[in-house]
Amino acid sequence: MKRGLIWFTEDLRVDDNETLCKAILENDEVVPVYFMDHLLEKPWLGIGRVGPQRKEFLLQALQSLKKELVARGGDLLVVEGSSLTHLPLLCKQFGIRKVYTKKQVGSEEKFRQNVLRKEVLALGIDFETYSTSTLYHPEDLPFSVRDIPLLFTKFRKLAEKECKVREPFNAPERLAVPIFDSNIPSFGASRTPEWMVGGELEAMKRLKHFVWESKALLSYKETRDQLDGLDYSSKFSAWLSHGCISPRRIYQEIKIFEREFKANESTYWLVFELLWRDFFRFSFKKYPTAYFQRKGLHEQAPFEYFDSEKFEQWKLGKTKESLINAGMNELRETGFVSNRMRQILASYWVYGLEQDWRFGAAWFEYCLVDYDVASNWGNWAYIAGVGNDNRGGRIFNIQKQEEYFDKTEAYRKRWANHSG
Ligand SMILES: Cc1cc2nc3c(=O)[nH]c(=O)nc-3n(C[C@H](O)[C@H](O)[C@H](O)COP(=O)(O)OP(=O)(O)OC[C@H]3O[C@@H](n4cnc5c(N)ncnc54)[C@H](O)[C@@H]3O)c2cc1C
């Protein structure tokens, strides 16, 4: 009997999941496992790592994955402890011959994966990783990831010219698993927006809505900078970050829409934004630890101060700027803010309050449901002027932003006076 172990991480789906497909193909039985590694991570810079909204979304995503696996004759084993302790034990318990998992980009996650790879190989068990979270497969890039350009535009032009997006894998029809206990722990409810429910089914529903039902995709380029509302942007991020949907599946849907209905600048622009996501992920492979340093990818760092009182005021929406307070209230309460608001909040922390940018990034890490190591730290470093850019940082003038994006003050009124 050949048995493989599928170690799920940020790929909580059955659709377009090469890791899962390969494991099923090569084995008689598989053991699909998820470890609660992220919930066990120690605070960084004194800030916790996973807030209540992301925990809830994760739980929903796990329940959904379990349902999909059960419907195919399988199941999901959710282990509340760390992979470092439990993965080797499970390999022994189930007589595993090979471990299948997604390639990691974050330095902590990579470290964990490498430690386990060595340990498992020493037991005589194979260990294979797959790149399943980007639009372009890293092997298809016209350069090695070590030579990725510093600037997005150069990366995009080279990639668009030379690469093709691979076809997504279809979800497997059946899988066989040995018997195990499969309870998913509960974390208690939070105040996420109604539309933000974890899981593959919800991700597919949102894709269908944004592309076909509302056709909001057709005006995405014009609306994407708004602060408030459901359809001004895709809202795919939390599902992408947890791997409930793959960027290739989104791409394929956009291409079908373009063929059958209409293609315009907006339909292209969503792909363009997915390339930003790819860009940060590939850049992280090149610089696995630099994005967490104050200097980032550059020689000179911006402000090095950290004033805990200013941090509390910023976190709790108690600064002298009503737009910042509204954004911080929305972020803390829902785990989401628009891209424009993220830029404004980050710029204010770095240039308005003149603080070490990494504390701001760590707070976003705690709050965001769509937290993604590469997109969060990459964007923060970019705004702080130490990331993938040569032009210095990005300073957003708050009064101008209010005038452009919140003229009627609707956003500020909606999120004013929220308690901490
Ligand atoms: C300071 C800061 C921190 C951020 N932290 C995160 C994070 O932790 N996780 C995260 O997914 N995004 C992050 N972003 C990027 C972006 O703000 C969100 O992806 C976007 O707001 C999510 O909403 P949406 O899905 O409706 O995006 P849309 O505008 O509909 O974009 C579609 C998809 O493209 C990708 N994308 C769009 N913009 C960016 C970008 N600038 N960088 C990378 N990918 C992008 C996302 O996957 C997004 O879901 C951050 C941006 C800033 C300025």
Side-chain angles (χ1 to χ4, degrees):
M1 156 91 59
K2 286 204 274 181
R3 226 179 237 170
L5 184 145
I6 310 159
W7 174 12
F8 283 97
T9 56
E10 296 81 33
D11 54 349
L12 304 179
R13 62 176 186 272
V14 294
D15 178 57
D16 193 22
N17 192 334
E18 185 179 3
T19 316
L20 174 67
C21 292
K22 282 281 158 63
I24 294 172
L25 191 74
E26 293 179 359
N27 294 283
D28 304 311
E29 280 186 351
V30 288
V31 182
V33 188
Y34 182 85
F35 301 98
M36 293 287 182
D37 287 320
H38 287 302
L39 303 190
L40 301 170
E41 277 162 8
K42 294 203 180 81
W44 198 62
L45 302 171
I47 300 165
R49 305 295 288 276
V50 187
Q53 289 91 352
R54 187 149 91 254
K55 280 187 193 164
E56 189 182 8
F57 191 94
L58 170 66
L59 176 70
Q60 291 161 346
L62 290 172
Q63 277 161 344
S64 159
L65 176 63
K66 181 179 160 79
K67 215 166 147 192
E68 294 296 334
L69 292 170
V70 168
R72 290 165 173 80
D75 208 338
L76 178 67
L77 177 56
V78 176
V79 180
E80 284 195 64
S82 126
S83 55
L84 287 170
T85 316
H86 293 276
L87 184 104
L89 294 177
L90 285 178
C91 285
K92 286 183 201 156
Q93 182 188 339
F94 287 105
I96 297 298
R97 56 172 280 280
K98 185 167 171 180
V99 173
Y100 302 77
T101 191
K102 187 181 102 60
K103 218 171 243 166
Q104 291 294 336
V105 289
S107 53
E108 281 173 340
E109 293 83 354
K110 252 174 144 157
F111 174 79
R112 201 158 39 224
Q113 195 166 74
N114 287 337
V115 168
L116 281 168
R117 180 199 299 273
K118 278 191 201 137
E119 201 171 330
V120 160
L121 288 175
L123 294 172
I125 297 165
D126 280 345
F127 192 98
E128 197 160 344
T129 56
Y130 299 84
S131 297
T132 57
S133 57
T134 47
L135 186 60
Y136 288 129
H137 196 285
E139 284 164 14
D140 299 340
L141 293 174
F143 37 77
S144 94
V145 165
R146 256 176 277 119
D147 299 322
I148 187 169
L150 176 72
L151 304 182
F152 171 71
T153 305
K154 194 158 177 207
F155 157 80
R156 179 182 60 78
K157 285 187 176 159
L158 284 169
E160 281 181 335
K161 195 165 157 216
E162 306 278 340
C163 307
K164 257 187 89 168
V165 176
R166 293 185 185 184
E167 281 294 307
F169 286 77
N170 286 327
E173 282 175 16
R174 302 284 308 159
L175 66 152
V177 296
I179 292 168
F180 51 76
D181 264 352
S182 67
N183 289 328
I184 298 186
S186 61
F187 305 128
S190 70
R191 259 196 69 183
T192 43
E194 246 170 59
W195 55 264
M196 202 188 269
V197 180
E200 190 163 4
L201 194 67
E202 294 294 328
M204 290 300 192
K205 267 202 238 166
R206 177 68 197 162
L207 177 64
K208 195 169 155 214
H209 172 81
F210 189 72
V211 175
W212 296 99
E213 290 165 0
S214 71
K215 299 199 172 50
L217 174 64
L218 285 173
S219 50
Y220 169 70
K221 187 157 184 269
E222 293 82 55
T223 58
R224 60 178 285 276
D225 270 334
Q226 289 175 15
L227 304 187
D228 221 358
L230 184 60
D231 287 340
Y232 67 83
S233 71
S234 74
K235 306 293 192 300
F236 294 154
S237 56
W239 289 291
L240 279 166
S241 299
H242 289 80
C244 302
I245 193 166
S246 82
R248 294 196 296 217
R249 182 59 69 197
I250 295 173
Y251 177 85
Q252 198 199 41
E253 204 64 30
I254 294 173
K255 290 293 137 189
I256 296 172
F257 181 82
E258 286 180 333
R259 274 198 309 274
E260 294 184 4
F261 194 75
K262 189 174 171 177
N264 66 12
E265 257 196 290
S266 282
T267 57
Y268 165 70
W269 213 259
L270 196 72
V271 179
F272 176 96
E273 293 300 336
L274 289 173
L275 288 183
W276 265 108
R277 181 176 174 277
D278 268 19
F279 176 61
F280 284 128
R281 295 188 89 79
F282 294 138
S283 298
F284 246 70
K285 286 191 183 210
K286 179 172 175 178
Y287 306 105
T289 53
Y291 286 97
F292 304 108
Q293 313 297 323
R294 200 154 44 78
K295 287 183 181 171
L297 314 182
H298 293 248
E299 295 295 311
Q300 275 208 319
F303 308 103
E304 61 181 282
Y305 318 111
F306 175 66
D307 179 331
S308 56
E309 214 170 294
K310 284 189 176 162
F311 185 56
E312 285 304 301
Q313 287 164 358
W314 181 72
K315 257 171 61 173
L316 299 178
K318 296 192 187 306
T319 73
K320 63 183 176 52
E321 298 291 349
S322 55
L323 184 64
I324 298 298
N325 298 344
M328 294 307 290
N329 288 341
E330 185 189 6
L331 173 67
R332 204 181 51 254
E333 294 205 3
T334 69
F336 186 87
V337 277
S338 67
N339 181 61
R340 174 56 52 155
M341 204 60 225
R342 291 180 203 208
Q343 293 173 319
I344 299 169
L345 297 173
S347 160
Y348 183 73
W349 173 251
V350 179
Y351 305 105
L353 299 175
E354 303 190 338
Q355 298 291 304
D356 182 337
W357 64 274
R358 298 170 309 155
F359 286 85
W363 179 243
F364 270 37
E365 170 170 346
Y366 174 77
C367 292
L368 286 173
V369 175
D370 64 25
Y371 170 70
D372 170 287
V373 61
S375 295
N376 189 56
W377 290 86
N379 273 293
W380 266 93
Y382 188 89
I383 286 188
V386 295
N388 296 80
D389 200 7
N390 283 328
R391 294 169 294 175
R394 287 283 180 282
I395 304 177
F396 288 77
N397 176 301
I398 297 193
Q399 280 64 46
K400 277 194 187 153
Q401 299 299 314
E402 286 174 351
E403 220 164 278
Y404 290 148
F405 300 110
D406 194 32
K407 215 176 170 63
T408 62
E409 296 188 32
Y411 180 78
R412 273 166 287 173
K413 283 183 191 145
R414 180 161 171 214
W415 291 105
N417 304 321
H418 283 251
S419 60

